[in-house]
Amino acid sequence: MAAPMLRWWCLGRRWLLACIDGGSRHGRGAAIGFTSSRKRGQTSVAQQPLITSQKSRKGEHEWAAVVGLEIHAQISSNSKLFSGSRVHFAAPPNSLVSFFDASLPGTLPVLNRRCVEAAVMTGLALNCCINKKSLFDRKHYFYADLPAGYQITQQRLPIAVNGSLAYSVCVGKKPSRVITKTVRIKQIQLEQDSGKSLHDELRSQTLIDLNRAGVGLLEVVLEPDMSCGEEAATAVRELQLILQALGTSRANMAEGQLRVDANVSVHHPGEPLGVRTEVKNLNSAKFLAKAIDSEIERQIHELENGREILNETRSFDYKLGCTMPMRDKEGKQDYRFMPEPNLPPLLLYDTESLPPGADPQQVINIDWIREQLPELPSETRERLIQQYGILPEHSFALLNEVGLLEFFQNVIKETRAEPKKVTSWVLNIFLGFLKQQNLAVNESPVTPSALAELLNLLDRKAISSTAAKQVFEELWRSEGKTPSQIVSEKQLELMQDQEALEQACHTVMEGHPQVVMDVKRGNPRAINKLIGLVRKATLSRADPTAIKEILERKLSP
């Protein structure tokens, strides 16, 4: 008899471990909703150890996974958080470093107004309470890419607290079934980024680039209200869209402008929360989901085999598809937090508390920033559904690809075609070509005007849908030509000569008497074969609907 295999399923916050006779594949079911029983203000992830020596139980063992996130978003600003050094991606190493960034003696921090405004705007968009008074602290740790030996952050009293982030996941076989979930936001704080350590394995040396040192970061701390990698990745993607809509961060994960640390633990329902591990520096939504699910499975496997989970920091090896230990997890005592002596409290105002005669350049008005909030992604999706009658999953697809929504709306402005047809062409044909060529929307050789003109030709039945796809392929290959020119050159117009079409149908019927007999005997597929033969004879220039009408008239008794 084959040895029993272990198998996990993620059901919302519950991971089921079952013994299965035979088989060797691991599978996980789709995530479903679960309501957290913790109250607001409770510790993010409990430090209580899970009892690791479990007694054997009959049937299935239920596991609850708990996932919290710490997200670091680089603020879109021309200069750094506390110095006048420029912020520019991929600049020559150590070319954007001020005396303060290098931590030379006697240099003092000067707070960047733009970074504060970005933090307030982000907090408002995420339903946070904005603290009118916040404080800066020093967080000590010693890395070569942190010249001062400490990071200026906001540990005690951050700029924003107690917010929420709503995100939606598609469940079931029908993508149109969308479930909205909410994760609580513990706090948003301003802090400095560190430099980069570049490891040269060939020369066995580490090089330091301080261009990033001192760049302003927003750290968004999400409470452990998630239960698997899919939920965490979806929440991060929604936050990314919000930051991009606000303009507070470009949030390009490929360029390190959005980095995620995941805190993961597992426990049996009804028992204390397990020991957490932290998976650091995840810079892709895909790898974030894989890293979390991998870590959950690892912890379950360790506990089921009587081993303990260590409170440690781990990294994700995307090649191996698993997490690897990095170092023991530091505690608050290791960081030796202390108030930042060179920065006074950060004071913000609203319309009621604004001092009379205050210089607008010297104060930040929360209410004024609230008035500047743009349309957020959730509002945009709802507008698209209401305005154009598109499906919910299509609204998500239009927003998820950078620049695709703007392309879609520009096509809509210039075409008479129905919005649903435009949506189909943009998401299926246009986006499909982009992904085949690995291109961004702004790199497309087909402009919104060209696609709009093509859809207009299709809408007024000047060309068939098959011909329209041929024209699109030609547009993609040869820039400069219009759809009308391509249609004319390749003679793709639909036949307007009714007599010629009648004759083509008559010729096909005479040449295929057996198919005609099948139609008369009631075979529904036979007429489709005749339609195909007529279209082939007319080089796909005949309208299938018109062909069918002629054939049915000729074949009727």
Side-chain angles (χ1 to χ4, degrees):
M1 181 176 174
M5 303 299 295
L6 296 179
R7 189 168 184 175
W8 289 275
W9 289 272
C10 174
L11 300 175
R13 298 173 73 89
R14 294 173 180 244
W15 284 69
L16 303 183
L17 179 67
C19 289
I20 302 174
D21 291 332
S24 59
R25 291 184 297 175
H26 294 273
R28 271 189 309 278
I32 60 175
F34 181 89
T35 304
S36 173
S37 61
R38 288 187 299 281
K39 297 179 181 178
R40 184 184 293 274
Q42 191 170 334
T43 307
S44 292
V45 179
Q47 299 295 318
Q48 303 171 31
L50 180 68
I51 299 173
T52 57
S53 55
Q54 302 290 335
K55 294 181 180 179
S56 59
R57 305 177 186 180
K58 293 182 179 179
E60 296 180 340
H61 298 287
E62 289 189 355
W63 289 98
V66 178
V67 179
L69 302 177
E70 296 171 12
I71 304 166
H72 299 84
Q74 189 179 111
I75 299 171
S76 289
S77 172
N78 292 329
S79 55
K80 297 183 180 181
L81 183 57
F82 296 117
S83 78
S85 297
R86 277 194 321 119
V87 176
H88 181 66
F89 179 72
N94 296 308
S95 61
L96 303 175
V97 185
S98 70
F99 290 158
F100 177 80
D101 302 330
S103 193
L104 296 185
T107 55
L108 295 173
V110 178
L111 184 58
N112 183 333
R113 178 190 177 97
R114 159 63 186 161
C115 293
V116 177
E117 291 175 338
V120 172
M121 179 172 280
T122 302
L124 292 172
L126 295 174
N127 310 302
C128 291
C129 173
I130 306 299
N131 287 324
K132 293 181 181 176
K133 177 182 178 181
S134 58
L135 304 173
F136 288 97
D137 306 284
R138 289 185 179 182
K139 177 182 179 180
H140 294 82
Y141 53 92
F142 298 99
Y143 293 149
D145 51 21
L146 192 70
Y150 61 84
Q151 175 194 46
I152 300 179
T153 183
Q154 292 188 304
Q155 171 65 22
R156 293 169 296 160
L157 193 57
I159 195 167
V161 295
N162 298 335
S164 63
L165 171 65
Y167 62 97
S168 299
V169 291
C170 296
V171 297
K173 292 183 179 179
K174 294 184 179 179
S176 56
R177 188 185 168 206
V178 176
I179 292 180
T180 300
K181 298 187 176 186
T182 302
V183 56
R184 292 169 297 145
I185 295 174
K186 181 181 180 182
Q187 65 189 57
I188 300 175
Q189 60 198 50
L190 281 164
E191 63 184 25
Q192 297 171 297
D193 207 346
S194 62
K196 283 184 180 179
S197 295
L198 307 172
H199 305 291
D200 186 342
E201 295 181 0
L202 291 176
R203 298 179 177 82
S204 299
Q205 61 183 5
T206 297
L207 305 175
I208 304 298
D209 180 10
L210 295 180
N211 281 346
R212 201 177 67 182
V215 169
L217 291 180
L218 291 174
E219 181 175 352
V220 183
V221 182
L222 303 187
E223 295 279 17
D225 297 335
M226 293 158 287
S227 60
C228 61
E230 180 191 3
E231 290 183 7
T234 307
V236 168
R237 179 57 180 147
E238 185 68 13
L239 178 61
Q240 184 181 34
L241 290 173
I242 290 172
L243 294 172
Q244 290 169 346
L246 297 173
T248 54
S249 174
R250 289 180 58 216
N252 186 331
M253 298 187 83
E255 295 182 0
Q257 294 164 350
L258 192 71
R259 308 189 294 276
V260 185
D261 302 336
N263 295 301
V264 182
S265 69
V266 299
H267 66 284
H268 287 299
E271 296 182 2
L273 296 182
V275 176
R276 69 169 178 171
T277 58
E278 183 179 33
V279 186
K280 293 285 287 185
N281 292 330
L282 299 162
N283 61 358
S284 154
K286 177 182 175 182
F287 291 152
L288 171 65
K290 287 185 175 181
I292 290 172
D293 288 343
S294 168
E295 179 60 16
I296 290 171
E297 291 189 5
R298 184 193 71 84
Q299 291 189 20
I300 291 173
H301 185 269
E302 291 291 296
L303 294 172
E304 284 291 329
N305 284 278
R307 293 186 285 270
E308 294 185 355
I309 301 300
L310 301 178
N311 184 215
E312 62 182 352
T313 299
R314 302 177 69 87
S315 63
F316 179 65
D317 188 320
Y318 71 93
K319 292 180 180 178
L320 298 177
C322 61
T323 63
M324 308 292 287
M326 289 176 64
R327 59 179 182 270
D328 291 341
K329 178 66 183 167
E330 296 94 342
K332 286 186 178 181
Q333 68 278 5
D334 299 316
Y335 290 128
R336 294 183 294 117
F337 285 102
M338 61 171 281
E340 170 53 58
N342 294 324
L343 286 169
L346 173 58
L347 302 179
L348 307 175
Y349 301 90
D350 55 22
T351 304
E352 293 182 359
S353 62
L354 193 67
D359 183 356
Q361 298 300 318
Q362 298 299 317
V363 297
I364 290 178
N365 187 331
I366 299 170
D367 292 330
W368 181 84
I369 294 176
R370 193 191 310 274
E371 292 171 2
Q372 309 305 311
L373 285 174
E375 183 180 66
L376 297 177
S378 58
E379 298 166 340
T380 302
R381 286 191 286 264
E382 186 61 33
R383 174 175 60 80
L384 292 172
I385 294 168
Q386 297 297 326
Q387 185 174 350
Y388 301 122
I390 64 177
L391 295 174
E393 64 266 27
H394 291 163
S395 69
F396 280 92
L398 287 172
L399 262 72
N400 282 345
E401 196 74 28
V402 176
L404 191 61
L405 176 60
E406 183 182 359
F407 185 96
F408 168 79
Q409 291 177 322
N410 287 335
V411 175
I412 286 281
K413 289 176 186 175
E414 299 185 46
T415 185
R416 295 185 296 272
E418 289 290 323
K420 288 184 180 180
K421 179 167 282 189
V422 178
T423 305
S424 175
W425 269 80
V426 169
L427 294 182
N428 297 326
I429 309 296
F430 176 73
L431 191 56
F433 271 72
L434 285 178
K435 291 189 174 180
Q436 276 182 357
Q437 304 293 324
N438 198 25
L439 296 175
V441 174
N442 60 6
E443 297 172 321
S444 165
V446 177
T447 64
S449 297
L451 182 54
E453 183 183 341
L454 175 59
L455 292 176
N456 283 336
L457 291 171
L458 188 58
D459 186 61
R460 66 171 186 257
K461 297 185 177 179
I463 57 175
S464 66
S465 57
T466 304
K469 291 174 183 176
Q470 287 181 250
V471 174
F472 187 87
E473 291 175 5
E474 190 64 27
L475 281 171
W476 195 271
R477 287 194 296 266
S478 53
E479 293 182 60
K481 290 185 179 180
T482 67
S484 297
Q485 288 173 334
I486 295 170
V487 168
S488 178
E489 288 175 8
K490 295 189 172 291
Q491 298 182 341
L492 296 172
E493 305 95 336
L494 278 177
M495 289 180 65
Q496 304 299 328
D497 189 336
Q498 188 70 12
E499 289 184 8
L501 186 54
E502 294 255 5
Q503 182 58 44
C505 291
H506 181 74
T507 303
V508 167
M509 289 173 63
E510 282 190 338
H512 300 81
Q514 184 59 48
V515 181
V516 172
M517 287 298 296
D518 290 343
V519 174
K520 290 181 177 180
R521 288 171 182 160
N523 185 345
R525 295 183 180 179
I527 196 166
N528 291 332
K529 185 172 183 179
L530 287 177
I531 292 171
L533 290 168
V534 175
R535 295 198 70 221
K536 183 178 180 181
T538 58
L539 303 177
S540 298
R541 294 179 59 205
D543 182 9
T545 305
I547 297 172
K548 187 174 183 181
E549 289 175 359
I550 293 170
L551 290 173
E552 286 177 343
R553 188 174 69 249
K554 287 182 175 291
L555 291 167
S556 61

